[in-house]
Amino acid sequence: MSSLAVNDQPAATATSTKVIQPAWVRILHWTNAVAMVLMIMSGWQIYNASPLFGFTFSKSITLGGWLGGALLWHFAAMWLLMVNGTVYLILGLATGRFRKKLLPITPEGVIADTRAALTGKLSHADLTKYNYVQKLLYAGIIVVGILIVLSGLAIWKPVQLQYLTALFGGYEAARYVHFFCMAAIVAFMVVHVALALLVPKSLRAMIIGR
Amino acid sequence: MGRLRSLLIPGVDKQLLVRDATRVMPDLARRRFIAGGASLGALTLLTGCDVSDSFSAESMLTRISKFNDAVQAAMFNPNTLAPTFPESAITKPFPFNAYYALDDAPTIDGKEWKLEVRGLVDNKKSWTLEELYQLPQVKQVTRHICVEGWSAIGSWTGTPLRDFLKIIGADTRAKYCWFQCADVDGYNSPLDMASALHPQTQMTFKFGDEILPRAYGFPMKIRVPTKLGFKNPKYVVSMEVTNDYKGGFWEDQGYNSFSGS
């Protein structure tokens, strides 16, 4: 009996160390991906109704067909984004994943890993550990995600949530914050998707966990 | 032929089906959002769902929008005032905005015009502009926020709607004040009673201390600083106090009906 138990243990640890992305992370990640794409594409259509800058987004990459349709998508997908994001924050904090995976972030580490990445010397041998550039970007995008939701609420409810709107410097300033958060997320997504395709086993880990 | 037959649904008359489908199809001009939402709808078609399911993306979005109406009504605090601004903050020139050019804005003779009052009110008498001008007025400098995203600060002066509702003996337990306007194509918009009774909701007769110009809704607009601009009807000709949701010009096309700020 006891020998059986002893034999079982190494096998169990072997499978558990193989899991790089636990199921809850994978589910929340892909739900977030869908919500983000819906929010961004409908957001571009909403932007086109009253552009902040001298350009509009091509209709071929927007969602909703016109302002009214885009608003329906935006205010539907916001629930998916907010509920999913809130669960992610709670589980990330409660399971200690944020602390274990994203901290500490040191300037020296970020500089060294950036240099290593640019000279092609960054190792991807152990996908369970993030390098300092990943830590900074993943922690940073969580902050941007929180900011885009808060600035969105500030634009949506500048009377009922007027203190939040004031925190962003007023209604008009909150629109710019919301826009630049979107720009940061799109920039992140471009790099994120490109790197995931360059290191396919990281993409596999986010799909099947190992 | 074999392939064609597989497209038919057994036991369903094709012509009847097409006729029914056309009937449930929304008016294209008023439901333009389907163009963008069609991809999901088309997906459900491909999976072989029946005809009524093909608009599921649209009906899902409409249902969520109704849910959002309820969420916003719950978030609405009748005592929360829209922020006010100093006169120096007023946007000049204040933009003219409508679904038509300024040239097509209604030209109303103030001497002929009357505000018609209907529905759940004790006194259904119509009001002349002269009579309305006798009522006490207050001024507000607030931010007008358009559904398109832009905003502008303006100065509006008029009678709080809740005072007028009291004068005419309106049943304030009713759900809506429904406004009808003189705009081309007949603008109208429902206002939920809680918002109608908000202290800053106003029957506006002046803009920037001057009689409301034609561009901004002469002779009367309803200023609701807790709502998006399209819920602030101009060129108002009648008000109905009602429990029925009667729809609105933009609301029927897909803009969220509560659209609170």
Side-chain angles (χ1 to χ4, degrees), chain A residues 114-180:
Chain A
T114 308
R115 192 170 296 151
L118 294 175
T119 52
K121 286 174 191 151
L122 205 56
S123 164
H124 302 297
D126 184 3
L127 286 179
T128 60
K129 281 208 171 72
Y130 291 149
N131 62 58
Y132 280 99
V133 179
Q134 283 177 303
K135 286 182 181 186
L136 180 70
L137 286 180
Y138 291 148
I141 207 66
I142 292 172
V143 174
V144 174
I146 293 169
L147 272 180
I148 202 164
V149 169
L150 291 179
S151 59
L153 289 171
I155 299 170
W156 188 41
K157 290 281 160 272
V159 174
Q160 302 305 330
L161 304 177
Q162 55 190 275
Y163 295 105
L164 181 65
T165 312
L167 212 59
F168 283 105
Y171 174 81
E172 288 293 340
R175 288 182 72 199
Y176 283 90
V177 173
H178 200 59
F179 180 90
F180 286 118

Side-chain angles (χ1 to χ4, degrees), chain A residues 66 75 79 157 162 171-172, chain B residues 33 68 72 81 149 151 253 260:
Chain A
W66 72 296
F75 290 126
W79 293 111
K157 290 281 160 272
Q162 55 190 275
Y171 174 81
E172 288 293 340
Chain B
F33 69 84
N68 285 339
Q72 294 175 92
L81 297 182
S151 79
Q253 297 178 58

